[in-house]
Amino acid sequence: MQLTENQSMIRQMARDFATAKIAPIAHEIDKHATFPEATVREMGELGFLGLTVPEAYGGVGADITSYALVVEEISRACGSHGLTVAAHNSLGCWPIAHYGTEEQKQKYLPPAATGSTLLSFGLTEAGAGSDSGGTRTTAVRDGDHWVLNGSKMWITNSHYAKALIITARSDPNATGPRGITAFIVETDTPGFTVEKKENKLGMRASDTAPLTLVDVRVPHANLLGTEGDGFKHFMKTLDGGRISIAAVALGLAEGAFATARDYAKQREQFGKPIARFQAIQFMLADMATQIQASRLLTYEACRLKDSGQEFGHMSAMAKLHASETAMFVTDRAIQILGGYGYTTEYPVERMYRDAKLCTIGEGTSEIQRIVIGRHALGE
């Protein structure tokens, strides 16, 4: 895919920042599971947190391709940083920019675009993961407010977000995906609690925590989109979010590949660099081929979305292929590095742990296959 001059400039800006500011701290923030507040603030100043926000509301108003390029480049250095940017843009800013009222856009998007506040999205529950229509959090109308009760799990950016989009069942008589509504809930609302941060395998510097809502009163003005259409709204949101996760996975794979390639050129065994052995070359060839396939799928999903065409099946393909490629490439990278790959001396073990989330978050690989299969059958 031929990038425009502006897209190339944005990608280079992201690469330079990731190399200079993110890569040097990636190991430590992973080790201590520390949210990188300083670099997140800097990413806001550079416009990376307002990529999907229209210029009218203080954002960059970038195309989806430019946005994916930024996420990809940041993730090459650190998956946690990439996931933070992805969740904020695609799950927090985009739904408000797309479904919000003018008042909601004016209130929430400008501070989000500059990074002075983060946004997030609360969909998953203990009994509603892949079955998102199984939402049990309730919303009951009380005059000009709604009263929300329930809980959410695996919510990204939750301790640092000033507002989250929460899905709740607003029609108790509806079943499945019907009767679900989305609300913008400010995190300092009485009864809203962000619980203890999760201790995770990977993406350890990304903030993830469960939420509890007990009689949380939300103004009717904070209802996002159309009442009862929350399921349709968040399905469309996830279609775009899968491009983000594909970009995170792509970046992780590229970072691991570059590390393994450079190591293979320098590491000598039997009197020559291991890159000269066919076994290593075959591994690198398979890695490079899968990365290129993932890149083309991801950029094609971006192109379709940018041009206003139906893109849900392509974003599912991109997310599926890129996430499984990231697992394959990081595994092969560890193998090429041998014992060093199994230690924290090199970043490939961290990338391996980070990559696993990409096969789970925003729809598991199994869910992506269902989406792709149904599209193939014309359903």
Side-chain angles (χ1 to χ4, degrees):
M1 176 179 174
Q2 185 66 41
L3 300 180
T4 66
E5 183 178 348
N6 192 56
Q7 289 167 345
S8 296
M9 181 187 69
I10 289 176
R11 180 176 66 176
Q12 191 61 52
M13 183 191 305
R15 180 173 295 183
D16 291 344
F17 178 79
T19 301
K21 296 297 185 72
I22 296 177
I25 66 170
H27 170 71
E28 283 300 311
I29 62 174
D30 171 78
K31 179 181 178 181
H32 299 291
T34 304
F35 185 77
E37 292 185 67
T39 44
V40 168
R41 215 167 22 247
E42 288 184 79
M43 289 193 296
E45 294 168 359
L46 289 170
F48 295 163
L49 299 181
L51 289 163
T52 61
V53 176
E55 292 182 80
Y57 303 102
V60 176
D63 59 0
I64 299 303
T65 302
S66 297
Y67 163 56
L69 289 168
V70 169
V71 174
E72 176 187 344
E73 291 298 332
I74 290 172
S75 300
R76 280 174 64 113
C78 174
S80 292
H81 275 84
L83 184 61
T84 299
V85 173
H88 173 77
N89 272 283
S90 66
L91 300 183
C93 296
W94 188 86
I96 295 176
H98 195 72
Y99 297 114
T101 64
E102 182 61 27
E103 291 75 15
Q104 289 169 348
K105 294 175 185 178
Q106 292 283 359
K107 181 175 183 180
Y108 295 106
L109 291 181
T114 61
S116 62
T117 180
L118 292 179
L119 297 175
S120 192
F121 189 74
L123 168 63
T124 304
E125 300 178 4
S130 295
D131 176 18
S132 331
T135 296
R136 293 182 180 177
T137 296
T138 59
V140 178
R141 184 74 182 264
D142 181 20
D144 60 354
H145 282 73
W146 290 83
V147 181
L148 274 59
N149 282 278
S151 60
K152 300 290 180 178
M153 300 179 70
W154 321 126
I155 310 306
T156 306
N157 297 340
S158 47
H159 283 102
Y160 297 89
K162 295 293 178 64
L164 295 96
I165 299 165
I166 300 292
T167 56
R169 188 167 296 283
S170 55
D171 183 352
N173 299 316
T175 57
R178 296 184 297 276
I180 295 175
T181 301
F183 301 87
I184 303 173
V185 183
E186 297 180 7
T187 54
D188 61 357
T189 306
F192 187 98
T193 304
V194 180
E195 306 292 353
K196 183 181 178 182
K197 182 177 179 178
E198 300 285 3
N199 187 15
K200 300 171 295 182
L201 170 73
M203 302 289 190
R204 290 177 52 77
S206 167
D207 181 55
T208 308
L211 311 174
T212 302
L213 297 89
V214 179
D215 293 334
V216 175
R217 295 181 63 82
V218 179
H220 180 70
N222 278 31
L223 188 152
L224 181 64
T226 307
E227 181 180 339
D229 280 344
F231 184 86
K232 288 189 282 188
H233 295 339
F234 66 66
M235 283 294 101
K236 184 58 74 173
T237 299
L238 290 177
D239 281 343
R242 285 164 184 159
I243 294 176
S244 303
I245 299 302
V248 171
L250 180 58
L252 287 167
E254 290 170 343
F257 174 81
T259 301
R261 179 199 59 209
D262 294 347
Y263 178 87
K265 289 179 178 180
Q266 298 170 4
R267 170 69 166 168
E268 290 193 0
Q269 290 287 273
F270 305 103
K272 58 184 175 181
I274 62 172
R276 304 313 307 160
F277 292 103
Q278 193 176 67
I280 301 298
Q281 291 175 5
F282 279 10
M283 281 194 277
L284 290 170
D286 289 341
M287 294 157 75
T289 300
Q290 293 302 317
I291 288 172
Q292 180 65 2
S294 293
R295 182 181 295 116
L296 293 173
L297 284 168
T298 302
Y299 293 0
E300 175 63 6
C302 292
R303 186 192 68 80
L304 289 175
K305 186 173 183 184
D306 280 332
S307 61
Q309 299 181 63
E310 199 284 317
F311 68 94
H313 69 290
M314 189 59 66
S315 67
M317 288 181 179
K319 196 266 189 188
L320 172 65
H321 197 280
S323 62
E324 297 197 347
T325 290
M327 287 302 299
F328 169 75
V329 170
T330 55
D331 174 81
R332 294 293 83 192
I334 290 173
Q335 193 70 17
I336 290 171
L337 269 68
Y340 286 114
Y342 201 67
T343 71
T344 58
E345 185 172 342
Y346 286 85
V348 290
E349 64 83 28
R350 168 170 51 84
M351 293 169 174
Y352 178 82
R353 290 185 286 104
D354 286 351
K356 185 57 194 172
L357 179 65
C358 297
T359 69
I360 299 171
E362 302 212 25
T364 62
S365 291
E366 291 71 29
I367 289 296
Q368 305 315 309
R369 288 183 166 92
I370 290 173
V371 172
I372 297 163
R374 287 176 177 172
H375 182 269
L377 293 169
E379 296 178 5

